[in-house]
Amino acid sequence: MTRTDDIARQTLVRRGFALEYATLGWNVIGIAVLALAAISARSVALAGFGLDSLIEIGASAVVIWELSGTGEERRRRALRLIGVGFALLATYLLVQSTWALATGFRPHHSPLGIGWTAVTAAVMFGLAAGKARTGIALDNPVLRTEGRVTLIDGLLAAAVLLGLLLNSLAGLWWADPAAGYVLVYYALREVKEIFLGEH
């Protein structure tokens, strides 16, 4: 590896760290905002999205740990930890969506929840794109995979936003939990790829 290649790689690694720290910071703030919004609106979806933020924090911590070291075993362990995060997310979404549909739970309107999930969706999509590009440039499957966790976080934010808007504007309380099933499929597909695919 030439000095130029080494400098380019160090720049990419720093970018990877910056993307992960930005994700961590956003989700830490998000937990507080979502807790407030969920309590005031009695919203299962917003409370669940707060739990998803915890999973994203865990996934970011795993990538920071992996970027700090080297070795194939460390990389495999990091991928497995992210796979567990996907499995937890799929389980949470399945349980939450089924429970909300079965009980017919109707949350109150939440302007704070609508505003936060709208901004979060945009932020997560941007971070996911940055992680995908950086992960490809570094040839780092852990960063690429965690970028897909961030993408799912953005998709979940969009689904929660859609559910909140449909509930608020049209009284369609069931739209939010129904959208969760699509994300269950996506998360389980990622679990299968991590544990059964080639890396």
Side-chain angles (χ1 to χ4, degrees), residues 23-39 46-58 116 120:
T23 305
L24 274 172
W26 186 270
N27 282 296
V28 167
I29 294 167
I31 288 172
V33 173
L34 290 164
L36 179 63
I39 291 168
L46 287 170
F49 190 50
L51 293 176
D52 171 69
S53 295
L54 281 175
I55 293 171
E56 178 70 21
I57 286 169
W116 182 259
T120 295

Side-chain angles (χ1 to χ4, degrees), residues 66-171:
E66 194 275 335
L67 287 173
S68 300
T70 58
E72 192 57 35
E73 179 54 34
R74 187 180 186 111
R75 181 167 285 186
R76 277 196 299 273
R77 189 176 305 147
L79 280 171
R80 285 193 301 268
L81 288 170
I82 292 172
V84 169
F86 269 117
L88 290 172
L89 179 56
T91 302
Y92 146 70
L93 287 169
L94 184 62
V95 170
Q96 180 209 4
S97 297
T98 302
W99 183 83
L101 286 171
T103 61
F105 185 82
R106 290 173 166 78
H108 300 306
H109 306 308
S110 177
L112 176 60
I114 289 170
W116 182 259
T117 53
V119 175
T120 295
V123 169
M124 291 300 122
F125 290 145
L127 287 170
K131 290 175 188 182
R133 284 192 303 270
T134 306
I136 289 168
L138 282 171
D139 191 25
N140 186 312
V142 175
L143 184 56
R144 289 196 312 266
T145 300
E146 200 280 325
R148 292 195 295 268
V149 175
T150 306
L151 176 63
I152 286 182
D153 199 36
L155 291 170
L156 183 56
V160 171
L161 173 62
L162 180 61
L164 292 172
L165 288 172
L166 289 174
N167 178 50
S168 181
L169 301 175

Side-chain angles (χ1 to χ4, degrees), residues 183-199:
L183 299 177
V184 168
Y185 167 78
Y186 189 88
L188 289 175
R189 192 178 71 177
E190 291 300 326
V191 170
K192 180 180 177 183
E193 172 62 26
I194 288 170
F195 287 107
L196 302 177
E198 294 290 330
H199 295 291

